Amino acid sequence: MTDSIDSIDQERLRQQDHQAFEALVSQLHRPMVSVARAIVGDSLAEEVVQEAWVSAYRNLPKFEGRSSVKTWLFTIVSNEAKSRLRKEKRLVALEDFNPEGSGDYLGPDRFFRFGGHWKVPPPDWHMDSPDQLLEEKHLQKCIDHTVSILPPQQRAVFILRDIEQQALAEICNILEVTESYVRVLLHRARMKLMQVIDRYQETGEC
Amino acid sequence: MLNCRDVAHEASDYIDQNLSWWRRLMFRLHLFVCAKCRRFVAHVHLTRDFLRRRGPLRASDQDIEQVMQRVKTSAPDQS
């Protein structure tokens, strides 16, 4: 759908070429905002990301390519956010650390209490390939909206793993959470998005 | 033996291959006998693949402009 980060010439980035840097901003600004939001919350995230970009730009000549550009940038924004959090001495709201909150789709009403069998089984989907789903413009809007209202940590994990395809270990480092917690957050995010697809398949609406 | 609730809650770990070999075996045994869970896991798989295929969302022109402006102001000697 978009040019990959790999297509941006790393040598030009090291030379702080504006065009190459802009391409990087275009592709990674939104995921970086998601990472920042997961750590410092909504109000400080934009500011933290701006600082992270400045820091990244200054340090581009020193970028040695030992990790990917993406991982390097996610680490910069994560460090910037953590440092800001220490300065502000704020605590991220407890709900951000609570993986619950997306459980409706697999809530207690979905299964029989004893035996754990489906009480409300998954419906048949008439669109059963990624290509078919990709053609549905209205569904894309619903998905974008749902991603935007996911709890911050869920959104960050979903974007880092399923969109940016970062390794689980990298995500743990970036967000300073355990791997099992990342897996829980990822599953919950997917369930929320799957619920949207479920409804869309059934009604054509979100 | 896993039940449907277990399978539903561990479906992402299954498709991402994060289950231990024993848990994976139990999972597959359940799928072998349960059409509803097979359908559910297929949906999780499709959801993941569809979302991955959509690719990243690009920043708006305004976001890019803001960052470039900030970089020019904060690192003027290098820009």
Side-chain angles (χ1 to χ4, degrees), chain A residues 156-205:
Chain A
V157 166
F158 165 72
I159 289 174
L160 289 171
R161 182 71 192 134
D162 274 355
I163 308 296
E164 301 300 336
Q165 303 196 20
Q166 293 288 293
L168 283 180
E170 294 292 354
I171 299 171
C172 296
N173 286 336
I174 291 166
L175 299 177
E176 276 190 351
V177 290
T178 63
E179 186 176 312
S180 57
Y181 189 67
V182 167
R183 283 157 45 191
V184 170
L185 289 171
L186 180 63
H187 187 58
R188 298 223 174 236
R190 283 180 185 163
M191 290 303 101
K192 275 192 177 167
L193 296 164
M194 197 164 127
Q195 190 172 15
V196 173
I197 301 173
D198 229 18
R199 204 177 305 132
Y200 189 82
Q201 295 256 7
E202 202 177 349
T203 65
E205 297 293 329

Coordinates of all heavy atoms in Angstrom, one line a residue, chain A residues 156-205:
Chain A
A156 N -0.7 0.8 20.6 CA 0.8 0.8 20.4 C 1.2 -0.7 20.0 O 2.0 -0.9 19.0 CB 1.5 1.3 21.5
V157 N 0.8 -1.6 20.8 CA 1.2 -3.0 20.6 C 0.7 -3.5 19.2 O 1.4 -4.1 18.4 CB 0.7 -3.9 21.7 CG1 0.8 -5.4 21.3 CG2 1.5 -3.7 23.0
F158 N -0.6 -3.2 18.9 CA -1.1 -3.6 17.7 C -0.4 -3.0 16.5 O 0.0 -3.7 15.5 CB -2.6 -3.2 17.6 CG -3.2 -3.3 16.2 CD1 -3.4 -4.5 15.6 CD2 -3.4 -2.2 15.5 CE1 -3.9 -4.6 14.3 CE2 -3.9 -2.2 14.2 CZ -4.1 -3.5 13.6
I159 N -0.1 -1.7 16.6 CA 0.6 -1.0 15.5 C 2.0 -1.6 15.3 O 2.5 -1.9 14.2 CB 0.6 0.5 15.6 CG1 -0.9 1.0 15.4 CG2 1.5 1.2 14.7 CD1 -1.1 2.4 15.7
L160 N 2.7 -1.7 16.5 CA 4.1 -2.2 16.4 C 4.2 -3.6 15.9 O 5.1 -3.9 15.1 CB 4.8 -2.1 17.8 CG 5.1 -0.7 18.3 CD1 5.5 -0.7 19.7 CD2 6.1 0.0 17.4
R161 N 3.3 -4.4 16.3 CA 3.4 -5.9 15.9 C 2.7 -6.1 14.5 O 3.3 -6.7 13.6 CB 2.7 -6.7 17.0 CG 2.8 -8.2 16.7 CD 4.2 -8.7 16.9 NE 4.3 -10.0 16.4 CZ 5.3 -10.5 15.6 NH1 6.3 -9.6 15.3 NH2 5.4 -11.7 15.2
D162 N 1.4 -5.8 14.4 CA 0.7 -6.2 13.2 C 0.9 -5.2 12.0 O 0.8 -5.7 10.9 CB -0.8 -6.3 13.5 CG -1.1 -7.7 14.0 OD1 -0.2 -8.5 14.1 OD2 -2.3 -7.9 14.4
I163 N 1.2 -4.0 12.2 CA 1.4 -3.1 11.1 C 2.9 -2.9 10.8 O 3.4 -3.1 9.7 CB 0.8 -1.7 11.4 CG1 -0.7 -1.8 11.8 CG2 0.9 -0.8 10.2 CD1 -1.6 -2.4 10.8
E164 N 3.7 -2.6 11.9 CA 5.1 -2.4 11.7 C 5.9 -3.7 11.8 O 7.1 -3.7 11.5 CB 5.7 -1.3 12.7 CG 5.0 0.0 12.6 CD 5.1 0.7 11.2 OE1 6.1 0.4 10.5 OE2 4.2 1.5 10.8
Q165 N 5.3 -4.7 12.2 CA 5.9 -6.1 12.3 C 7.2 -6.1 13.0 O 8.2 -6.7 12.6 CB 6.1 -6.6 10.9 CG 4.7 -6.7 10.2 CD 4.6 -7.6 9.0 OE1 5.4 -8.4 8.8 NE2 3.6 -7.3 8.2
Q166 N 7.2 -5.4 14.2 CA 8.4 -5.5 15.1 C 8.3 -6.8 15.9 O 7.3 -7.3 16.2 CB 8.3 -4.3 16.1 CG 8.5 -2.9 15.4 CD 9.9 -2.7 15.0 OE1 10.8 -2.6 15.8 NE2 10.1 -2.6 13.7
A167 N 9.5 -7.3 16.2 CA 9.6 -8.5 17.0 C 9.0 -8.3 18.4 O 9.1 -7.2 18.9 CB 11.0 -9.0 17.1
L168 N 8.5 -9.3 19.0 CA 7.9 -9.2 20.4 C 8.9 -8.7 21.3 O 8.6 -7.8 22.2 CB 7.4 -10.6 20.8 CG 6.1 -11.1 20.3 CD1 5.8 -12.5 20.9 CD2 5.0 -10.1 20.5
A169 N 10.2 -9.2 21.2 CA 11.2 -8.7 22.2 C 11.5 -7.2 22.0 O 11.7 -6.5 23.0 CB 12.5 -9.5 21.9
E170 N 11.4 -6.7 20.8 CA 11.6 -5.3 20.6 C 10.5 -4.5 21.2 O 10.7 -3.4 21.8 CB 11.7 -4.9 19.1 CG 12.8 -5.5 18.3 CD 14.2 -4.9 18.7 OE1 14.2 -3.9 19.5 OE2 15.2 -5.4 18.2
I171 N 9.3 -5.0 21.0 CA 8.1 -4.3 21.6 C 8.2 -4.2 23.1 O 7.9 -3.2 23.7 CB 6.8 -5.0 21.1 CG1 6.7 -4.9 19.6 CG2 5.6 -4.3 21.8 CD1 5.6 -5.8 19.0
C172 N 8.6 -5.3 23.7 CA 8.8 -5.3 25.2 C 9.8 -4.3 25.6 O 9.6 -3.6 26.6 CB 9.3 -6.7 25.6 SG 8.2 -8.0 25.3
N173 N 10.9 -4.1 24.9 CA 11.9 -3.1 25.2 C 11.3 -1.7 25.0 O 11.5 -0.8 25.8 CB 13.1 -3.2 24.3 CG 14.0 -4.4 24.7 OD1 13.9 -4.9 25.8 ND2 14.7 -4.9 23.7
I174 N 10.6 -1.5 23.9 CA 10.1 -0.2 23.6 C 9.1 0.3 24.6 O 9.1 1.4 25.1 CB 9.5 -0.2 22.2 CG1 10.6 -0.3 21.1 CG2 8.7 1.1 21.9 CD1 10.0 -0.7 19.7
L175 N 8.2 -0.6 25.0 CA 7.1 -0.2 25.9 C 7.4 -0.6 27.4 O 6.6 -0.3 28.3 CB 5.8 -0.9 25.5 CG 5.3 -0.5 24.1 CD1 4.0 -1.2 23.7 CD2 5.1 1.0 24.0
E176 N 8.5 -1.3 27.6 CA 8.9 -1.8 29.0 C 7.8 -2.6 29.6 O 7.3 -2.3 30.7 CB 9.3 -0.6 29.9 CG 10.7 -0.2 29.7 CD 11.2 0.8 30.7 OE1 10.4 1.3 31.5 OE2 12.4 1.0 30.7
V177 N 7.3 -3.6 28.9 CA 6.3 -4.5 29.4 C 6.8 -6.0 29.1 O 7.7 -6.2 28.3 CB 4.9 -4.3 28.8 CG1 4.3 -3.0 29.3 CG2 5.0 -4.3 27.3
T178 N 6.2 -6.9 29.7 CA 6.6 -8.3 29.5 C 6.0 -8.9 28.2 O 5.0 -8.3 27.7 CB 6.1 -9.2 30.7 OG1 4.6 -9.2 30.7 CG2 6.6 -8.7 32.0
E179 N 6.6 -9.9 27.8 CA 6.1 -10.5 26.5 C 4.7 -11.1 26.7 O 3.9 -10.9 25.8 CB 7.1 -11.6 26.1 CG 6.7 -12.2 24.7 CD 7.6 -13.2 24.2 OE1 8.9 -13.0 24.2 OE2 7.2 -14.2 23.7
S180 N 4.4 -11.7 27.8 CA 3.1 -12.2 28.0 C 2.0 -11.1 27.9 O 0.9 -11.3 27.4 CB 3.0 -13.1 29.2 OG 3.3 -12.3 30.3
Y181 N 2.4 -10.0 28.5 CA 1.5 -8.8 28.5 C 1.2 -8.3 27.1 O 0.1 -8.0 26.7 CB 2.0 -7.8 29.4 CG 1.1 -6.6 29.7 CD1 -0.1 -6.8 30.4 CD2 1.3 -5.3 29.2 CE1 -1.0 -5.8 30.7 CE2 0.5 -4.3 29.5 CZ -0.7 -4.5 30.2 OH -1.6 -3.5 30.4
V182 N 2.3 -8.3 26.3 CA 2.2 -7.8 24.9 C 1.3 -8.7 24.2 O 0.4 -8.3 23.4 CB 3.6 -7.8 24.2 CG1 3.5 -7.7 22.7 CG2 4.5 -6.7 24.8
R183 N 1.4 -10.0 24.4 CA 0.5 -11.0 23.7 C -0.9 -10.8 24.1 O -1.8 -10.9 23.2 CB 1.0 -12.4 24.0 CG 2.3 -12.7 23.1 CD 3.1 -13.8 23.7 NE 2.4 -15.0 24.1 CZ 2.9 -16.0 24.8 NH1 4.2 -16.0 25.1 NH2 2.2 -17.0 25.2
V184 N -1.2 -10.5 25.4 CA -2.6 -10.3 25.8 C -3.1 -9.1 25.1 O -4.2 -9.1 24.6 CB -2.6 -10.2 27.3 CG1 -4.0 -9.7 27.8 CG2 -2.3 -11.5 28.0
L185 N -2.3 -8.0 25.1 CA -2.8 -6.7 24.5 C -3.0 -6.9 23.0 O -4.0 -6.4 22.5 CB -1.7 -5.6 24.7 CG -1.5 -5.1 26.1 CD1 -0.3 -4.2 26.2 CD2 -2.8 -4.3 26.6
L186 N -2.2 -7.6 22.4 CA -2.3 -7.8 20.9 C -3.6 -8.6 20.6 O -4.4 -8.3 19.7 CB -1.1 -8.6 20.4 CG -1.1 -8.9 18.9 CD1 -1.1 -7.6 18.1 CD2 0.1 -9.8 18.5
H187 N -3.8 -9.7 21.4 CA -5.0 -10.5 21.2 C -6.3 -9.6 21.4 O -7.3 -9.7 20.6 CB -5.0 -11.7 22.1 CG -6.1 -12.7 21.8 ND1 -6.3 -13.2 20.5 CD2 -7.1 -13.1 22.6 CE1 -7.4 -14.1 20.6 NE2 -7.9 -14.0 21.8
R188 N -6.3 -8.8 22.4 CA -7.4 -8.0 22.7 C -7.7 -7.0 21.6 O -8.8 -6.7 21.3 CB -7.3 -7.3 24.1 CG -7.1 -8.3 25.2 CD -7.9 -7.9 26.4 NE -7.9 -8.9 27.4 CZ -9.0 -9.5 27.9 NH1 -10.1 -9.1 27.5 NH2 -8.8 -10.4 28.8
A189 N -6.6 -6.4 21.1 CA -6.8 -5.4 20.0 C -7.3 -6.1 18.8 O -8.3 -5.6 18.2 CB -5.4 -4.8 19.7
R190 N -6.8 -7.3 18.5 CA -7.3 -8.0 17.3 C -8.8 -8.4 17.5 O -9.6 -8.3 16.5 CB -6.5 -9.3 17.1 CG -5.1 -9.1 16.5 CD -4.4 -10.4 16.3 NE -3.1 -10.2 15.8 CZ -2.2 -11.2 15.9 NH1 -2.5 -12.3 16.5 NH2 -1.0 -11.0 15.4
M191 N -9.2 -8.7 18.7 CA -10.6 -9.1 19.0 C -11.5 -7.9 18.7 O -12.6 -8.1 18.2 CB -10.8 -9.7 20.4 CG -10.1 -11.0 20.6 SD -10.7 -12.3 19.5 CE -9.4 -12.4 18.4
K192 N -11.0 -6.7 19.1 CA -11.9 -5.6 18.9 C -12.0 -5.3 17.4 O -13.1 -5.0 16.9 CB -11.2 -4.3 19.6 CG -11.6 -4.2 21.0 CD -11.2 -2.8 21.5 CE -11.6 -2.7 22.9 NZ -11.0 -1.5 23.6
L193 N -11.0 -5.5 16.7 CA -11.0 -5.2 15.2 C -11.8 -6.3 14.5 O -12.5 -6.1 13.6 CB -9.6 -5.1 14.7 CG -8.9 -3.9 15.3 CD1 -7.4 -3.9 15.0 CD2 -9.4 -2.6 14.7
M194 N -11.7 -7.5 15.1 CA -12.4 -8.6 14.5 C -13.9 -8.5 14.7 O -14.7 -8.8 13.9 CB -12.0 -9.9 15.1 CG -12.3 -11.2 14.4 SD -11.3 -12.5 15.0 CE -12.6 -13.7 15.4
Q195 N -14.3 -7.9 15.8 CA -15.7 -7.6 16.1 C -16.2 -6.6 15.1 O -17.4 -6.8 14.7 CB -15.8 -7.0 17.5 CG -17.1 -6.8 18.1 CD -17.2 -6.4 19.5 OE1 -16.1 -5.9 20.0 NE2 -18.3 -6.5 20.2
V196 N -15.4 -5.6 14.7 CA -15.8 -4.7 13.7 C -16.1 -5.4 12.3 O -17.1 -5.2 11.7 CB -14.8 -3.6 13.5 CG1 -15.1 -2.7 12.3 CG2 -14.6 -2.8 14.7
I197 N -15.2 -6.3 12.0 CA -15.3 -7.1 10.7 C -16.6 -8.0 10.8 O -17.4 -8.1 9.9 CB -14.1 -7.9 10.4 CG1 -12.9 -7.0 10.3 CG2 -14.3 -8.7 9.2 CD1 -11.5 -7.7 10.2
D198 N -16.7 -8.6 12.0 CA -17.9 -9.5 12.2 C -19.2 -8.7 11.9 O -20.1 -9.2 11.2 CB -17.9 -9.8 13.7 CG -18.1 -11.3 13.9 OD1 -17.8 -12.1 13.0 OD2 -18.4 -11.7 15.0
R199 N -19.3 -7.5 12.5 CA -20.5 -6.7 12.4 C -20.7 -6.3 10.9 O -21.8 -6.3 10.4 CB -20.5 -5.5 13.3 CG -21.8 -5.0 13.7 CD -21.7 -3.8 14.7 NE -21.0 -4.2 15.9 CZ -20.0 -3.4 16.4 NH1 -19.7 -2.3 15.9 NH2 -19.5 -3.8 17.5
Y200 N -19.6 -5.9 10.4 CA -19.6 -5.4 9.0 C -20.1 -6.6 8.0 O -20.9 -6.4 7.1 CB -18.3 -4.9 8.5 CG -18.3 -4.2 7.2 CD1 -18.7 -2.9 7.1 CD2 -18.0 -4.9 6.0 CE1 -18.8 -2.3 5.9 CE2 -18.0 -4.3 4.8 CZ -18.4 -3.0 4.7 OH -18.5 -2.3 3.5
Q201 N -19.6 -7.7 8.3 CA -20.0 -8.9 7.4 C -21.5 -9.2 7.6 O -22.1 -9.5 6.6 CB -19.2 -10.2 7.9 CG -17.7 -10.1 7.7 CD -17.2 -10.9 6.6 OE1 -18.0 -11.4 5.8 NE2 -15.9 -10.9 6.4
E202 N -22.0 -8.9 8.8 CA -23.4 -9.3 9.0 C -24.3 -8.2 8.5 O -25.4 -8.5 7.9 CB -23.6 -9.5 10.5 CG -24.8 -10.3 10.9 CD -24.9 -10.5 12.4 OE1 -23.9 -10.2 13.1 OE2 -25.9 -11.0 12.8
T203 N -23.9 -6.9 8.7 CA -24.9 -5.8 8.5 C -24.4 -4.8 7.4 O -25.2 -4.0 7.0 CB -25.1 -5.0 9.8 OG1 -23.8 -4.3 10.1 CG2 -25.5 -5.8 11.0
G204 N -23.2 -4.9 7.0 CA -22.6 -3.9 6.1 C -22.4 -2.5 6.7 O -22.1 -1.6 6.1
E205 N -22.5 -2.5 8.1 CA -22.3 -1.3 8.8 C -21.3 -1.6 9.9 O -21.0 -2.7 10.2 CB -23.6 -0.8 9.5 CG -24.7 -0.4 8.5 CD -24.4 0.8 7.7 OE1 -23.6 1.7 8.2 OE2 -24.8 0.9 6.6

